[in-house]
Amino acid sequence: MAEFMGMDPAGVQALIRRLEAGKSVLAGVRPGLEAAIAEAGADWAGAGGITAMHRAWAFFHDSQADLRWRLQVLTQVLPEGSPALTTVRVPFTSQEQAATAGAQAGRALADALAVHLAEGTPGAWAGVEAALTAAGTTDTRDPAYASALLAALGTPGKLRTIFGRWMEAHAAGRSRGLTPEELGKAQSSLGALAVAFAAAESSARLPAGWREDALTRANPATLSAMVALARPSSGFLNDVAAGQFSSPTAGFAPAFPDPDWNTVWVVGAYTGNPEALQRLLADHKQVAGQLLDPDLVKGTGTPGFDDLLAMVLGRALDPGTGSAATRERAWINVIDGVGYDGTEKAAGHYATFENSPLNQVLAKNLTPYLGELARGQVHADSPGLGLAPSGPWTGLHEDVAARFIGALMQDQATATMLQADFQAYVRNLDIGQAHPFSSDPAERAEYTRLSAEAGGLSNLLLDGSAYAEFNDDEFIDMVADAALLPVNYTTARIFKDATPLGSAAIDHQSSDTKDTLAGILKDHLDELTPETAGVVADRLVDAEMQMLFDSLNRHGQPSLTNEDAEPGYTAPNLT
């Protein structure tokens, strides 16, 4: 190795900016100094004129170029999440030296390819692979080396030719991607070319036309190998993925009986770059539906793909990944892509979530947005309350959200997780901090706001449970044990004329309302008997009332009296 390099990337960036400021000062002073020297003529006392200034400007400029190159090398060489102060060994002392070596390797590869195209013999092809291997003996992650190699190779079509001929030699007839064994074999040959392309593209040094040619003319097997063998830029990876996930050959394709390794390698490329997948989901509304299509998730024919997809999606949608705004847009597109009308039918997306690790991964990361989903339910049913979701969540339809929850709840463990998350959210709202019958209008309004938000989650839970099609016992446990407040917002579609306070918790002890709730439950589940629906209604009302009593007591609020409720009503004893 030629040089040992230790750098603080942030400090180097600051130095580059200071050098630019120095160049600006010199550039501003130079015209005036040149004019003054010309005017002084023979009387000018200086010995060197403005030569020193020119040399200083050139030094600053050349230093900037060298520092930028070194940063680009670091970007390619270091793994994701490296410490701020980094140290690497690099093969070249300057980008000029790197470019010279890259051009030499590129010419050797171009010559070997020309011989192969002329002769078409196994021996000639062996020469191409030898040139590829030789090119990879030097670190092709150096952007200057990589760019010069590709420029010397000639045209982007030669890259496609090399990948295609390699696959003909080692994976004949395999149109849907290299197997893991074949990909491992490709690392020592095709890997050098893939890494060179990735290094040049991500550092904006790729020769003109190469990127567009690869994306529009390379076949899916070539593109999937390129992103699997190298570390592509986020933009290039996302462009490849958008094409792959929408391809008619992705996932289950009757005309292609071999496994779909192309999708596997493209999804796997996001393992170390979850922000790129988050950006893809946020910027391309249709991608989430394509990526989560049951034909793709269940149809690649490769082992462990659903676990791989769950892992990369979990990282992309994790609350700590990316920016809040991008993450929210990604989530909304995922919910829209799964929760559309008809998704629960045989040909819909619900099939994706049957016996899938995706359910728990998505449910875990959904927790920060429960408030937005709850307020969306409330606003749809009771817009007069003035309680609405924020930002992009205003465009999410409440039924879409419910169907998405239903998809996740098809897995019993995930349903239990969501139930616990919903309960925790409602407990944190602590509705009893305001009294429903306070003489203070502001306090009554606060009670209404809190109880409405809790009721929004009750709507979501009921609707999601219905779409998940639990059996009677599962449904009773899921709904009655949820203990969400208040019932009036659960039944808001029926009680659109009820005032928020007038129907706040207490009047729902009436048998008429219990019958209405039972009717709603029967409508949700075709096979649910009237008796079971009535049991659910009784348990749900009693559990919700107990939660309110407990919360009022914690805050030192006066207890609700029998007169507050209805004549003859007493608080339920659920202990």
Side-chain angles (χ1 to χ4, degrees):
M1 293 295 177
E3 187 174 3
F4 178 82
M5 185 167 68
M7 301 176 71
D8 175 6
V12 173
Q13 291 282 14
L15 177 57
I16 290 174
R17 290 193 294 269
R18 288 196 292 270
L19 289 170
E20 187 63 32
K23 287 167 58 179
S24 298
V25 170
L26 291 172
V29 171
R30 186 174 62 192
L33 182 57
E34 289 176 336
I37 291 173
E39 182 179 352
D43 294 332
W44 172 248
I50 61 168
T51 302
M53 184 178 293
H54 279 282
R55 287 176 177 171
W57 189 95
F59 171 76
F60 285 0
H61 182 76
D62 292 344
S63 296
Q64 282 181 307
D66 183 71
L67 289 170
R68 289 193 181 101
W69 164 68
R70 291 170 184 270
L71 281 180
Q72 289 175 344
V73 173
L74 284 177
T75 300
Q76 295 300 317
V77 172
L78 293 172
E80 298 287 341
S82 296
L85 186 62
T86 55
T87 303
V88 297
R89 292 186 180 275
V90 295
F92 306 110
T93 58
S94 68
Q95 60 180 328
E96 290 77 18
Q97 186 185 56
T100 299
Q104 181 179 353
R107 286 192 295 270
L109 180 58
D111 291 343
L113 179 61
V115 171
H116 166 68
L117 293 177
E119 299 180 1
T121 63
W125 174 249
V128 175
E129 294 210 34
L132 285 169
T133 301
T137 58
T138 299
D139 198 337
T140 55
R141 291 176 294 182
D142 185 308
Y145 178 93
S147 178
L149 185 156
L150 296 176
L153 180 59
T155 64
K158 292 182 179 180
L159 179 142
R160 288 185 281 107
T161 297
I162 291 172
F163 269 82
R165 297 298 175 92
W166 191 99
M167 291 178 187
E168 288 176 8
H170 299 281
R174 201 179 311 287
S175 62
R176 298 214 291 169
L178 302 177
T179 66
E181 295 75 18
E182 292 161 351
L183 192 69
K185 184 184 298 183
Q187 189 68 62
S188 61
S189 52
L190 286 182
L193 197 53
V195 170
F197 183 96
E201 192 275 334
S202 60
S203 60
R205 292 173 178 253
L206 196 64
W210 282 63
R211 188 181 194 278
E212 294 74 14
D213 184 272
L215 290 172
T216 58
R217 302 186 66 183
N219 62 48
T222 292
L223 289 172
S224 70
M226 288 174 67
V227 299
L229 291 167
R231 189 171 70 184
S233 69
S234 297
F236 186 78
L237 175 56
N238 283 354
D239 285 343
V240 171
Q244 176 59 34
F245 300 155
S246 62
S247 171
T249 66
F252 175 71
F256 298 91
D258 52 319
D260 176 18
W261 289 105
N262 288 330
T263 296
V264 174
W265 302 135
V266 174
V267 169
Y270 286 105
T271 301
N273 193 358
E275 286 192 40
L277 181 55
Q278 184 184 102
R279 174 69 63 181
L280 177 70
L281 293 170
D283 292 346
H284 299 271
K285 186 173 183 178
Q286 76 284 358
V287 163
Q290 294 166 348
L291 180 59
L292 292 170
D293 188 281
D295 280 347
L296 189 148
V297 176
K298 305 288 190 180
T300 64
T302 62
F305 176 71
D306 50 356
D307 290 315
L308 172 65
L309 180 59
M311 183 266 290
V312 297
L313 268 179
R315 292 182 181 181
L317 298 174
D318 185 276
T321 300
S323 71
T326 303
R327 191 167 56 253
E328 284 184 315
R329 295 202 316 273
W331 259 114
I332 290 168
N333 286 341
V334 168
I335 295 171
D336 272 328
V338 171
Y340 59 90
D341 188 12
T343 184
E344 73 278 14
K345 297 178 181 178
H349 272 59
Y350 267 35
T352 296
F353 298 92
E354 296 172 0
N355 303 313
S356 172
L358 287 166
N359 304 49
Q360 292 197 38
V361 166
L362 293 176
K364 179 184 71 173
N365 291 317
L366 183 65
T367 303
Y369 307 108
L370 291 182
E372 301 290 0
L373 297 178
R375 290 185 289 273
Q377 298 285 319
V378 175
H379 184 69
D381 289 336
S382 305
L385 285 176
L387 197 64
S390 63
W393 296 94
T394 57
L396 182 64
H397 196 280
E398 68 277 8
D399 291 339
V400 169
R403 284 189 287 264
F404 176 76
I405 294 298
L408 301 186
M409 292 177 73
Q410 290 181 98
D411 171 62
Q412 187 60 51
T414 304
T416 302
M417 177 192 299
L418 283 170
Q419 179 186 17
D421 288 344
F422 282 25
Q423 287 177 297
Y425 185 88
V426 172
R427 281 194 298 270
N428 289 335
L429 288 175
D430 208 5
I431 296 166
Q433 61 188 282
H435 200 282
F437 300 115
S438 170
S439 59
D440 182 356
E443 186 175 349
R444 295 200 304 271
E446 177 67 3
Y447 171 84
T448 298
R449 184 191 70 78
L450 293 172
S451 61
E453 191 164 334
L457 280 185
S458 186
N459 275 359
L460 199 60
L461 185 73
L462 281 172
D463 286 348
S465 300
Y467 284 116
E469 295 187 345
F470 294 128
N471 62 40
D472 289 5
D473 291 339
E474 289 173 331
F475 190 75
I476 291 174
D477 291 340
M478 180 57 57
V479 176
D481 292 345
L484 300 178
L485 271 167
V487 176
N488 59 299
Y489 290 101
T490 302
T491 60
R493 290 182 177 83
I494 303 300
F495 293 99
K496 288 191 178 295
D497 296 331
T499 62
L501 181 61
S503 59
I506 306 307
D507 56 340
H508 285 285
Q509 299 309 310
S510 68
S511 59
D512 288 344
T513 303
K514 286 186 179 183
D515 290 342
T516 301
L517 178 57
I520 290 175
L521 300 181
K522 284 185 290 184
D523 289 341
H524 276 320
L525 293 181
D526 295 337
E527 297 179 1
L528 197 65
T529 65
E531 292 77 13
T532 303
V535 170
V536 172
D538 287 341
R539 290 180 59 184
L540 182 58
V541 169
D542 287 345
E544 289 174 340
M545 289 302 302
Q546 186 65 60
M547 179 176 276
L548 174 60
F549 294 151
D550 291 344
S551 183
L552 289 170
N553 183 60
R554 281 196 304 273
H555 289 278
Q557 299 276 18
S559 299
L560 299 177
T561 66
N562 292 341
E563 289 74 19
D564 286 332
E566 288 180 347
Y569 174 75
T570 57
N573 182 5
L574 302 182
T575 59

